[in-house]
Amino acid sequence: LVYCKLIMNPNSGMPIPPMGGFPPGMVGEGMPGGGFMDIPLKELEKMEAVFARVRTACFMKCIQKFAESEIHPGEAVCIDRCVSKYMKVHDKVTQRFETMQ
């Protein structure tokens, strides 16, 4: 069993997957604190895949300049809107699939 520290998103309360992905062999049973960590590994992998798609899509759409180390306010607004729209669509599609089953 492998444990890792997750950074929590203050807005949603959900953890942000690590950039390199979750460690191999990580399972959701018996993790300290229960809650999110009781989710099976397959669900964590799905969440990580969604996060990777959002990160890639929004980065390609919103980040235009690489010359500066800071994100400009316009880029930050674009990223916020992009992530919000992507997650709303993802939630709607998920709900639709759940009603079809």
Side-chain angles (χ1 to χ4, degrees):
L1 187 59
V2 177
Y3 297 99
C4 70
K5 181 175 180 172
L6 298 175
I7 299 170
M8 302 304 281
N9 180 330
N11 296 325
S12 68
M14 296 295 293
I16 300 170
M19 291 298 285
F22 291 104
M26 182 177 177
V27 294
E29 302 173 76
M31 299 297 257
F36 174 78
M37 296 314 298
D38 289 334
I39 297 173
L41 179 61
K42 189 169 273 270
E43 288 297 316
L44 292 175
E45 289 171 348
K46 288 179 185 177
M47 287 175 57
E48 182 180 10
V50 168
F51 178 75
R53 286 193 301 269
V54 170
R55 182 181 61 223
T56 300
C58 294
F59 179 84
M60 297 299 290
K61 179 180 181 188
C62 299
I63 305 299
Q64 304 297 323
K65 298 178 183 177
F66 297 99
E68 298 179 24
S69 62
E70 298 293 320
I71 295 176
H72 293 277
E75 293 172 333
V77 169
C78 179
I79 291 169
D80 287 343
R81 288 180 181 161
C82 179
V83 170
S84 176
K85 287 179 184 179
Y86 198 101
M87 295 311 296
K88 284 179 184 178
V89 169
H90 181 265
D91 289 343
K92 285 183 181 184
V93 169
T94 301
Q95 289 174 0
R96 180 67 63 121
F97 277 123
E98 287 175 356
T99 60
M100 292 171 46
Q101 292 180 356

